[in-house]
């Protein structure tokens, strides 16, 4: 079992750059199977990226990541099914459904896996594909889609869904006729997917607004594309710097994608100098609790940043309140933060943090990606040593986090421990 061992280290200082966006590159990799050869740069080395490449290879494509560049050759794509083992490894694997269907006229997958954040039904994905002409059968855990020809349609989402918007965009790009997606997700990653598809020869406009127009084309070709910076990875570094009372300059980022997070950090007392592609954050003295933070679809406060800002609020002066409107099980990190001395009360979708002056190192376990990042931020701000298990979740979205934070002065290293040893320590704490 791998763990991250963290010693409370005081203020983080220095400079670093932002990795490429996990939430952009995964749908882009799925879309790449609609063309010939594509080159995707600024790609982070993540376990989810590796799973996507394994799915592409299973589907008959070639794909490899080297020095931040993914090369994909989809000319040999011939399979229409994705096995259960691969689908279970990440939630966003469902994004391949629209791509395989558009390429071959049929697709078969099982229900996806990923972080346990509560029910995230894929009904809207399937409804969108049915609107485009797909016939769908659900048998147990398997989903079969068939369409002799996809046809443009009007798709009206009942609620905002990033994944369903992406699946509809990918499938509709090769449908016959025009498609209009209403109540579409507005995230920057949606715009990035549009840019990539248009480079492949698609005709899509409106991404970034709640209405997307797609004029279907008969074929797509490969393209070269640079993935946008990861706004959640950037928020993680800034939250850690704020909590530590540090001074960190973050380069290769897009401040315009992070306005809701930056507003909260400023409200908490951080001083920031914001450039076109950089953010210098300085935190002096004890942070102040912000006004209640309510998660919402973009451009609201992102649900992925909720655990990160919660970790920064643990030692803030005053009481902080979070309302989680996106995922119902996004407080799995709370019991682990309590082990470190955090005072947190939860009730349904609400969490209240009573600011405490200090945290203490502890043995904790990450239950999901962003919750794991929250534990990492808290551990760097705690007295003593913390050991964080469940690193496989953290590795889904962060490229060598131990190296990034060590460069900023954190005392952090990745270690291998025996499962039995870790379990004994966990049981001892519970007794």
């Amino acid at each position: 079992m791998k763990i991250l061992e963290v010693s409370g280290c005081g203020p983080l200082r220095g400079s670093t750059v932002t990795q490429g966006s996990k939430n952009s590159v995964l749908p882009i990799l799925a879309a790449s199977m609609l063309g010939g050869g594509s080159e995707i740069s600024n790609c982070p080395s993540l376990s989810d990226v590796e799973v996507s490449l394994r799915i592409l290879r299973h589907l008959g494509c070639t794909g490899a990541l080297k020095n931040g560049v993914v090369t994909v050759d989809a000319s040999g794509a011939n399979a229409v099914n994705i096995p259960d083992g691969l689908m279970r490894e990440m939630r966003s694997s469902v994004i391949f459904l629209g791509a395989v269907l558009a390429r071959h006229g049929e697709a078969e997958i099982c229900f996806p896996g990923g972080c346990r954040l509560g029910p995230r039904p894929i009904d809207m994905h399937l409804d969108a594909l049915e609107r485009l002409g797909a016939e769908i059968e659900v048998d147990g855990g398997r989903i079969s889609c068939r369409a002799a020809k996809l046809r443009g349609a009007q798709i009206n989402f009942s609620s905002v869904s990033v994944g369903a918007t992406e699946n509809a965009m990918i499938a509709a790009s090769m449908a016959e006729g025009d498609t209009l997606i209403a109540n579409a997700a507005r995230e920057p990653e949606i715009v990035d997917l549009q840019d990539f598809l248009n480079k492949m020869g698609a005709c899509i406009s409106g991404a970034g607004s709640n209405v997307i127009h797609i004029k279907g084309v008969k074929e797509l070709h490969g393209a070269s594309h640079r993935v946008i910076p990861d706004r959640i990875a950037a928020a993680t570094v800034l939250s850690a710097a704020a909590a530590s009372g540090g001074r960190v300059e973050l380069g290769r980022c897009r401040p315009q994608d992070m306005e809701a997070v930056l507003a909260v950090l400023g409200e908490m007392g951080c001083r920031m100098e914001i450039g076109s592609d950089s953010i210098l954050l300085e935190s002096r003295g004890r942070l102040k609790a912000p006004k209640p933070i309510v998660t919402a679809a973009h451009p609201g406060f992102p649900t992925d940043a909720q655990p990160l800002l919660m970790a920064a609020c643990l030692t803030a002066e005053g009481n902080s309140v979070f309302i989680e409107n996106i995922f119902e099980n996004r407080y799995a990190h709370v019991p682990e933060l309590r082990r470190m001395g955090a005072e947190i009360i939860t009730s349904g979708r609400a969490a209240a943090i009573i600011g405490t002056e200090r945290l203490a190192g502890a043995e904790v376990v990450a239950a999901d990606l962003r919750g794991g990042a929250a534990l990492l931020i808290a551990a760097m701000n705690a007295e003593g040593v913390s050991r964080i298990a469940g690193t496989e979740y953290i590795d889904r979205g962060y490229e060598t986090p131990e190296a990034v934070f060590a460069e900023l002065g954190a005392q952090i290293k990745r270690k291998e421990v025996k499962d039995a040893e870790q379990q004994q320590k966990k049981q001892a704490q519970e007794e």
Side-chain angles (χ1 to χ4, degrees):
M1 176 192 296
K2 289 183 173 62
I3 65 166
L4 289 173
E5 186 174 87
V6 185
S7 298
C9 56
L12 298 177
R13 299 190 183 279
S15 62
T16 187
V17 295
T18 311
Q19 68 181 52
S21 172
K22 164 190 178 288
N23 291 335
S24 268
V25 75
L26 299 182
I28 284 172
L29 285 174
S32 71
M33 72 165 293
L34 296 181
S38 291
E39 184 177 275
I40 303 157
S41 59
N42 198 35
C43 179
S45 180
L46 309 171
S47 58
D48 272 9
V49 169
E50 177 53 34
V51 173
S52 293
L53 290 173
R54 285 161 52 200
I55 290 174
L56 284 171
R57 289 191 286 264
H58 171 81
L59 293 170
C61 307
T62 63
L65 170 63
K66 184 177 181 180
N67 298 327
V69 179
V70 170
T71 53
V72 176
D73 184 353
S75 58
N78 53 15
V80 299
N81 72 304
I82 302 175
D84 182 80
L86 287 174
M87 289 296 298
R88 286 180 180 273
E89 291 194 45
M90 67 174 189
R91 168 68 59 170
S92 53
S93 55
V94 71
I95 201 65
F96 280 89
L97 184 60
V100 176
L101 181 64
R103 175 74 185 252
H104 298 295
E106 60 179 316
E108 184 175 336
I109 66 170
C110 70
F111 282 90
C115 291
R116 299 182 294 272
L117 300 177
R120 290 194 279 180
I122 63 171
D123 294 359
M124 285 192 289
H125 296 250
L126 303 183
D127 289 345
L129 296 178
E130 283 186 318
R131 284 278 184 180
L132 294 170
E135 295 181 359
I136 298 174
E137 293 182 7
V138 179
D139 182 11
R142 301 294 299 179
I143 303 168
S144 299
C145 300
R146 285 175 176 78
K149 184 183 289 293
L150 293 175
R151 290 182 171 83
Q154 178 153 340
I155 299 169
N156 299 298
F157 287 125
S158 57
S159 59
V160 176
S161 168
V162 174
T165 299
E166 292 168 340
N167 239 333
M169 288 172 65
I170 292 170
S173 66
M174 294 185 68
E176 184 179 278
D178 296 344
T179 296
L180 185 146
I181 304 173
N183 200 23
R186 299 169 58 189
E187 274 72 4
E189 295 80 15
I190 300 290
V191 180
D192 208 25
L193 176 61
Q194 172 185 275
D195 291 346
F196 176 68
L197 284 167
N198 283 346
K199 288 177 182 178
M200 296 179 74
C203 186
I204 308 174
S205 62
S209 74
N210 59 3
V211 178
I212 298 174
H213 298 267
I214 304 169
K215 184 176 180 61
V217 298
K218 290 184 178 180
E219 61 180 16
L220 297 174
H221 52 74
S224 295
H225 182 74
R226 182 176 177 84
V227 173
I228 62 172
D230 193 313
R231 60 195 172 103
I232 305 302
T236 304
V237 172
L238 295 177
S239 297
S244 73
R247 186 179 189 275
V248 169
E249 183 172 13
L250 184 62
R252 295 186 201 166
C253 61
R254 300 209 326 172
Q256 68 269 31
D257 295 342
M258 303 173 59
E259 291 179 354
V261 171
L262 296 179
V264 172
L265 290 171
E267 188 182 339
M268 295 176 73
C270 297
R271 185 182 70 83
M272 288 173 283
E273 294 179 11
I274 300 174
S276 60
D277 64 351
S278 65
I279 302 170
L280 173 63
L281 180 143
E282 186 172 17
S283 174
R284 293 180 179 177
R286 192 176 178 188
L287 295 173
K288 298 178 178 63
K291 291 180 291 189
I293 295 173
V294 181
T295 64
H298 190 80
F301 191 90
T303 180
D304 280 359
Q306 174 259 106
L308 316 176
L309 268 294
M310 180 181 286
C313 288
L314 298 179
T315 54
E317 183 178 356
N319 301 332
S320 307
V321 175
F322 289 80
I323 307 295
E324 175 54 60
N325 284 326
I326 308 300
F327 297 127
E328 68 178 45
N329 191 28
R330 191 123 219 190
Y331 292 139
H333 52 285
V334 168
E336 302 303 297
L337 291 174
R338 288 180 182 142
R339 290 181 178 276
M340 304 175 77
E343 295 187 41
I344 309 173
I345 301 168
T346 60
S347 177
R349 292 181 178 269
I353 296 92
I354 302 168
T356 184
E357 291 191 6
R358 59 180 58 86
L359 301 172
E363 307 274 342
V364 293
V365 180
D368 58 70
L369 168 56
R370 306 305 174 184
L375 298 179
L376 185 54
I377 292 169
M380 288 187 285
N381 197 33
E383 297 178 358
V385 178
S386 296
R387 294 178 178 85
I388 305 172
T391 57
E392 65 273 14
Y393 288 107
I394 298 173
D395 293 338
R396 288 188 52 234
Y398 294 95
E399 185 174 28
T400 59
E402 65 274 21
V404 171
F405 285 111
E407 187 179 16
L408 298 175
Q411 299 179 43
I412 175 173
K413 54 188 174 182
R414 190 176 293 252
K415 298 180 67 175
E416 185 85 34
V417 298
K418 294 181 180 178
D419 288 357
E421 175 188 345
Q422 188 68 15
Q423 186 63 30
Q424 287 173 359
K425 289 180 179 179
K426 183 81 171 175
Q427 289 174 349
Q429 276 197 325
E430 292 172 349
E431 289 173 353

